[in-house]
């Protein structure tokens, strides 16, 4: 199902391009040759990964692909001009091309880039390299997004992201959803006929590499999403929907499992489905991760978890919270944990032994002003109820792995007195709260020591609480928003802000003195950029854990 993948084309392996190779035919329409446009990602101090896809109908046998990088948008000052061999443009990789320019560019520098193929020139993209490791940037600004169900709304938020004054784009996961039959909608969800999909397999969710590739092509065809990826270099993580909803690793079967998938309990199928999902994710995103599709074990074939350093100002750490997690603890009814006991089973793991050791080592060794954790699912406990009649319904998040969460929080507290910021997606809500070693209001023993703050960005389009229960866009919207926010904060005193009535994105800015997290609401119901409204803005001083409304 997954096949074989080759290494990226590297800066050193690019062939020299002649004037004839670079000649542009002004009559050619860029989108006809480059229907998914361009993107960049995987930044280093000396490079980035550039990406494009050539339309199959535009492919000419023996025709190489030209890549050009310049310090100006007019390409008068080219720093890279080379050829990608013709054999790299073909069906084996669904006509996608990745060019890794590591060791070919200057640190902390913005560049323009483009591709030329058979006279057609792609849209111009803009990429950026990381600062030098020993430098101290004045500021680092990241746009933060997650959860963009294509069938459940439009991507106006990405048009605002495209124009945002940020250095990089951080995607926390669920860039695609594996469904093609509006599987993840609610009582108040609308239909978007122009967003509907029919998979090559004919199934209602992805079951093959061809299905995943089709989904990525559709998502990457959105003009607003294209603009965001053209304008900003992306650093991407993942969550469950890139393969199957609520997936985990069954350590007894030595295979992935997905309780909501029709074949989620078939180990052989789930191994192949996971390999296919990984391959398509790698093909369609310009990420810098370790990927070896020929490895016998899935865990050996793909390593998403990694660190990205912005000088000595920010250590950004991305963890993989799907490929190694065991089955979550709790008792479930309709996907909701209804167990009245807080699960602290020490055998449950979110990160797996090797990744957990790597993560705690990074925590202990970091000397940057800020330690930023790109965390796919909510790390804070989230209670519904009070006293003995309390539920922790989101067992798919860290509440299902509370013993390991305790280890992580203890490591954070032991290593640092301040400067930990966790950036989270998944719940289709915005949230701000404190990470603590104990939560007495929830029945924990011991004094609560703050070890970090957590910010959650809302979904771009995916169903939130208001949409799920049918109050979004009605007269009940504003009052239920206030009631829900107050209820969540009353039941969870460590949570200082909560909203599950809006969609949008966030921007986080780190300086030597403060971290500022701003969330914006953007209407997903119209296929235009629409207006942007600030929902909330918090500041955190670098020397203490204090959420300050600004």
């Amino acid at each position: 199902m997954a096949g074989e993948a080759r290494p990226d084309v590297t800066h050193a392996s690019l062939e020299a391009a002649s004037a004839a190779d670079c000649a542009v035919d002004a009559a050619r329409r860029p989108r006809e040759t480059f229907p998914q446009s361009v993107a960049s990602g995987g930044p280093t101090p000396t490079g980035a990964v550039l990406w494009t896809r050539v339309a199959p109908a535009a492919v000419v046998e023996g025709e190489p692909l030209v890549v050009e990088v310049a310090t100006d948008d007019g390409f008068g000052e080219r720093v890279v001009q080379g050829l990608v061999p013709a054999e790299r443009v073909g069906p084996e990789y669904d006509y996608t091309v990745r060019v890794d320019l590591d060791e070919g560019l200057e640190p902390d520098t913005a560049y323009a880039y483009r591709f030329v193929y058979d006279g057609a020139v792609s849209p111009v993209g803009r990429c950026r390299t990381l600062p030098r490791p020993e430098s101290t940037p004045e500021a680092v600004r990241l746009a933060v997004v997650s959860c963009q169900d294509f069938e459940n709304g439009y991507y106006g938020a990405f048009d605002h992201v495209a124009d945002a004054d940020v250095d990089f784009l951080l995607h926390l996961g669920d860039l695609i959803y594996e469904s093609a039959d509006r599987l993840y909608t609610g009582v108040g969800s609308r239909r978007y006929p122009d967003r509907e999909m029919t998979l090559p397999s004919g199934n209602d969710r992805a079951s093959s590499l061809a299905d995943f590739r089709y989904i990525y092509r559709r998502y990457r065809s959105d003009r607003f999403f294209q603009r965001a990826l053209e304008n900003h270099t992306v650093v991407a993580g993942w969550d469950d929907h890139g393969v199957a909803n609520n997936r985990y690793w069954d350590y007894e079967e030595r295979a992935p499992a997905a309780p909501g998938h029709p074949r989620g309990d078939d180990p052989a199928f789930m191994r192949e489905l996971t390999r296919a999902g990984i391959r398509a994710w790698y093909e369609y995103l310009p990420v810098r991760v370790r990927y070896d599709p020929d490895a016998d074990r899935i865990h050996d074939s793909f390593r998403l978890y990694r660190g990205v350093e912005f000088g000595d100002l920010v250590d950004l750490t991305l963890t993989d919270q799907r490929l190694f997690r065991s089955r979550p603890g709790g008792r479930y009814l309709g996907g909701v944990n209804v167990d009245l006991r807080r699960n602290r089973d020490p055998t449950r793991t979110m990160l797996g032994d090797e990744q957990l050791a790597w993560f705690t080592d990074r925590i202990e060794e970091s000397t940057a002003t800020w330690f930023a954790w790109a965390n796919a699912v909510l790390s804070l406990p989230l209670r519904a109820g009070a006293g003995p009649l309390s539920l922790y319904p989101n067992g798919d998040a860290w509440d299902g792995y509370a013993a390991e969460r305790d280890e992580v929080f203890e490591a954070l507290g032991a290593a640092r007195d301040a400067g930990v910021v966790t950036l989270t997606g998944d719940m289709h809500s915005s949230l701000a709260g404190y990470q603590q070693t104990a939560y007495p209001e929830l029945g924990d023993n011991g004094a609560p020591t703050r070890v970090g703050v957590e910010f959650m960005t809302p979904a771009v389009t995916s169903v939130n609480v208001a949409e799920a229960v049918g109050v979004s866009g009605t007269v009940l919207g504003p009052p239920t928003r206030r009631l829900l926010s107050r209820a969540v904060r009353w039941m969870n005193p460590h949570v200082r802000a909560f909203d599950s009535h809006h969609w949008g994105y966030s921007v986080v800015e780190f300086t030597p003195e403060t971290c500022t997290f701003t969330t914006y609401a953007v209407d997903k119901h119209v296929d235009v950029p629409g207006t942007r409204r600030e929902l909330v803005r918090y500041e955190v001083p670098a020397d203490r854990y204090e959420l300050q409304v600004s």
Side-chain angles (χ1 to χ4, degrees), residues 286-457:
V287 289
R288 187 179 301 280
V289 297
R290 189 177 72 194
Y291 176 49
D292 177 9
D294 297 324
D296 292 335
R297 297 175 65 249
I298 292 175
H299 287 160
D300 295 332
S301 72
F302 179 66
R303 175 170 160 167
L304 178 141
Y305 59 92
R306 62 201 189 276
V308 181
E309 288 79 34
F310 302 87
D312 65 6
L313 182 60
V314 183
D315 278 352
L316 176 65
T317 299
L318 295 91
T319 51
D320 184 343
Q321 290 159 232
R322 289 296 168 182
L323 198 57
F324 301 93
R325 66 159 63 195
S326 57
R327 186 184 185 96
R331 293 181 293 180
Y332 291 83
L333 179 65
V336 175
N337 180 21
V338 295
D339 198 332
L340 292 175
R341 300 169 298 172
R342 294 183 68 188
N343 188 289
R344 278 197 162 91
D345 182 350
T347 68
R348 306 286 181 184
T349 181
M350 174 75 82
L351 303 178
D353 293 341
E354 182 177 332
Q355 183 182 193
L356 178 61
W358 170 88
F359 185 40
T360 54
D361 284 347
R362 278 193 63 85
I363 293 170
E364 294 166 3
E365 295 168 2
S366 174
T367 59
T369 302
W370 297 97
F371 184 85
W373 177 18
N375 165 56
V377 297
L378 182 68
S379 75
L380 300 181
L382 193 66
R383 174 177 66 172
L389 298 178
S390 294
L391 301 177
Y392 294 85
N394 193 8
D396 186 62
W398 279 93
D399 272 341
Y401 306 84
E404 188 164 288
R405 173 175 60 198
D406 291 344
E407 288 188 58
V408 171
F409 284 8
E410 287 169 8
L412 291 172
R416 305 180 66 103
D417 295 324
V420 175
V421 174
T422 297
L423 305 171
T424 301
D426 180 61
M427 277 180 52
H428 313 165
S429 306
S430 61
L431 174 150
Y434 291 110
Q435 296 166 317
Q436 301 173 179
T437 53
Y439 296 88
E441 300 89 347
L442 307 185
D444 288 351
N445 297 319
T449 300
R450 291 175 181 172
V451 298
V453 298
E454 182 165 20
F455 294 116
M456 178 178 287
T457 191

